[in-house]
Amino acid sequence: GQQVMQIPQYQHVQEGEDFTTYCNSSTTLSNIQWYKQRPGGHPVFLIQLVKSGEVKKQKRLTFQFGEAKKNSSLHITATQTTDVGTYFCAGRGSSNTGKLIFGQGTTLQVKP
Amino acid sequence: GAVVSQHPSWVICKSGTSVKIECRSLDFQATTMFWYRQFPKQSLMLMATSNEGSKATYEQGVEKDKFLINHASLTLSTLTVTSAHPEDSSFYICSARDGTHSPYEQYFGPGTRLTVT
């Protein structure tokens, strides 16, 4: 079945450094979503990417969707302590109404 | 924005008892609701998908008779953990999809932390 792999599992950075997490799917996706989960909290929707090669920005966050629609990345520029949390990618299969499969998540720690 | 509520937010129960968790979409009609389970420091694992008025579709390895899902209306779905055991202790999160709007974004509830003693 469809699998979504995410790396790295953990990342510790100094405040101000950049951070990137990568997501790869075993199958072509119709779209991919990114979520952030703070410790003790629930996943909060960040963004959805739909088009091949799409790039979207939210302030210091840059999201990319690969040309083959099988991989994606989230890049944070100049991390801040408020960026701490676990970032999940979640891919939806070939159907736009298919189920969302979550990656394992990347937990980001930021040292002040 | 769309809001999904869950009740209770946490529950402690004794082994062998049943627990019901409610998931409500507050300001939209959820044509589809999803139930996830998350163990500590792990990802969200989809348990089942339910469409209003029809039987839930369970993921492989999830026991239908143990995790009863009812999606009786467009704003309410319930998950009942029957004959709970300590290994069922987990964070249960529901998600609702507003099927009338693109891009079929899923909205997550705040989760229910279940502890079985």
Side-chain angles (χ1 to χ4, degrees):
Chain A
Q2 181 188 343
Q3 290 186 336
V4 176
M5 308 297 291
Q6 197 174 345
I7 57 169
Q9 188 175 4
Y10 298 99
Q11 185 82 57
H12 294 249
V13 300
Q14 198 71 40
E15 189 173 22
E17 291 181 338
D18 293 354
F19 159 77
T20 305
T21 172
Y22 301 90
C23 189
N24 285 287
S25 169
S26 58
T27 58
T28 302
L29 302 169
S30 62
N31 59 68
I32 194 161
Q33 299 178 1
W34 285 90
Y35 292 81
K36 178 182 179 181
Q37 184 175 24
R38 294 182 185 274
H42 64 281
V44 174
F45 176 81
L46 293 177
I47 208 160
Q48 173 168 287
L49 304 171
V50 179
K51 299 176 184 176
S52 169
E54 189 169 15
V55 178
K56 287 187 176 180
K57 291 191 176 185
Q58 288 180 353
K59 296 182 180 179
R60 294 178 293 105
L61 277 61
T62 301
F63 303 84
Q64 291 187 325
F65 200 11
E67 294 290 341
K69 300 184 73 172
K70 294 178 74 172
N71 57 68
S72 181
S73 65
L74 157 60
H75 180 82
I76 303 178
T77 305
T79 54
Q80 300 175 359
T81 54
T82 53
D83 296 326
V84 164
T86 299
Y87 293 85
F88 292 98
C89 63
R92 198 182 302 283
S94 54
S95 165
N96 199 30
T97 56
K99 55 190 178 186
L100 212 54
I101 303 299
F102 279 76
Q104 297 93 327
T106 296
T107 299
L108 172 65
Q109 292 283 358
V110 180
K111 299 176 216 174
Chain B
V3 178
V4 175
S5 71
Q6 258 183 264
H7 178 80
S9 55
W10 61 271
V11 57
I12 301 172
C13 71
K14 292 186 177 179
S15 188
T17 61
S18 295
V19 174
K20 180 185 282 189
I21 302 170
E22 291 186 350
C23 176
R24 294 180 186 271
S25 57
L26 298 185
D27 51 1
F28 67 99
Q29 293 186 327
T31 52
T32 306
M33 285 189 172
F34 305 86
W35 286 95
Y36 293 84
R37 181 167 51 184
Q38 185 179 34
F39 291 107
K41 299 187 186 297
Q42 294 188 24
S43 185
L44 281 74
M45 298 302 295
L46 180 65
M47 297 175 67
T49 303
S50 74
N51 292 294
E52 184 262 339
S54 59
K55 289 185 179 179
T57 302
Y58 289 81
E59 294 300 302
Q60 193 172 8
V62 178
E63 298 175 58
K64 300 178 184 182
D65 295 332
K66 181 167 185 62
F67 299 99
L68 302 178
I69 292 173
N70 185 291
H71 191 167
S73 77
L74 284 171
T75 59
L76 173 64
S77 176
T78 60
L79 166 68
T80 301
V81 183
T82 62
S83 187
H85 291 285
E87 56 265 30
D88 298 324
S89 298
S90 187
F91 192 44
Y92 292 86
I93 309 172
C94 73
S95 174
R97 184 162 68 200
D98 177 358
T100 60
H101 298 97
S102 261
Y104 297 99
E105 183 178 326
Q106 281 180 224
Y107 304 97
F108 283 80
T112 296
R113 198 164 299 279
L114 170 64
T115 302
V116 185
T117 60

